[in-house]
Amino acid sequence: QKEVEQNSGPLSVPEGAIASLNCTYSDRVSQSFFWYRQYSGKSPELIMSIYSNGDKEDGRFTAQLNKASQYVSLLIRDSQPSDSATYLCAVVYSGSARQLTFGSGTQLTVLP
Amino acid sequence: GAVVSQHPSRVICKSGTSVKIECRSLDFQATTMFWYRQFPKQSLMLMATSNEGSKATYEQGVEKDKFLINHASLTLSTLTVTSAHPEDSSFYICSAPNRGTRDYNEQFFGPGTRLTVL
C-alpha cells in the first residue's frame, strides 16, 4: 500500500514567520512530488512541484526533496494571512498511470 | 495555461434522481481525467480514472454502476451519479494532466461540484 503522510495539524504561525510543512512517502519508486493548496470550499491549486533531490524555490515557497529519506517539505517564508489554507502533499508513483496519491493535508493558519 | 472547468458548480437534488457533472479541459486535450470525491475535513479520494476511448478504471469500493463515467471526447468527461442518496452528498472534483507541460504527471483541477442530495 503506497501511502503519503503529512505532519499532523493544525499548524498556526504568526504573520511574517516561516511555516514548515512536512510529508513522507512510503515507496522509493516515485516520480513526482507536488504541493497543493486548498482553501475551504475550493478545489486544490498547485503551488509547487519537485522531481529531484534538493531545494526548489519559487517566490516565498521552497520545496525540499530527500529521496533517500523519502521526505518532502514545503517552507513558506514571510507567511501571510492569505496563506491560511490546507496544504496537500501529493506523490505520483511509478506505474500508477499518473495517479496522485494525496496525504491527509495540514491545515495552516497564519495569525495577523 | 491549463484550465479545467466543471459544470455545474453546485447542485441540489432529491433522493433517487440522477445528476450529471461535466469536466472539460478548455485549452488542452486530455486523454485521461481523474474524478475525486472529498468529504468535509477529509482529503481527496480518487474515485476513478476516465480514459478517452475506453472504459473508466474504478478504485476499490467505488460502484461503477452508480458512478457512471463517460469520456466522450479529448476535452470532456462526465460523471453521472445515478439514483443519488444523501450519503452521496459531497464535493466532486475532476483533474487532468496536460501532455503539453514539462511534467505529464502534473494535474490541473477543476473548481469542483458541490452535490447535495435531499
Side-chain angles (χ1 to χ4, degrees), chain B residues 41-82:
Chain B
K41 301 202 180 298
Q42 295 185 22
S43 191
L44 281 75
M45 184 193 80
L46 179 66
M47 298 176 66
T49 303
S50 174
N51 304 298
E52 192 271 336
S54 63
K55 291 182 179 180
T57 305
Y58 290 82
E59 295 301 299
Q60 191 173 7
V62 177
E63 301 175 57
K64 62 179 66 175
D65 294 332
K66 180 168 182 65
F67 298 99
L68 301 179
I69 291 173
N70 181 27
H71 202 129
S73 72
L74 288 172
T75 59
L76 173 64
S77 174
T78 60
L79 168 67
T80 301
V81 183
T82 62

Side-chain angles (χ1 to χ4, degrees), chain A residues 31-32 36 38 43 51 98 103, chain B residues 38 43 103-105 107 110:
Chain A
Q31 292 183 315
S32 307
Y36 285 86
Q38 187 176 26
S43 68
Y51 316 106
R98 288 182 296 283
Chain B
Q38 187 176 35
S43 191
D103 179 12
Y104 192 21
N105 289 324
Q107 291 186 31

Side-chain angles (χ1 to χ4, degrees), chain B residues 13-58:
Chain B
C13 69
K14 292 183 179 180
S15 185
T17 60
S18 294
V19 175
K20 179 185 283 188
I21 302 170
E22 294 185 348
C23 177
R24 292 182 185 272
S25 55
L26 298 185
D27 53 359
F28 66 100
Q29 293 183 333
T31 55
T32 301
M33 290 183 175
F34 300 95
W35 286 97
Y36 298 85
R37 180 166 54 179
Q38 187 176 35
F39 293 106
K41 301 202 180 298
Q42 295 185 22
S43 191
L44 281 75
M45 184 193 80
L46 179 66
M47 298 176 66
T49 303
S50 174
N51 304 298
E52 192 271 336
S54 63
K55 291 182 179 180
T57 305
Y58 290 82

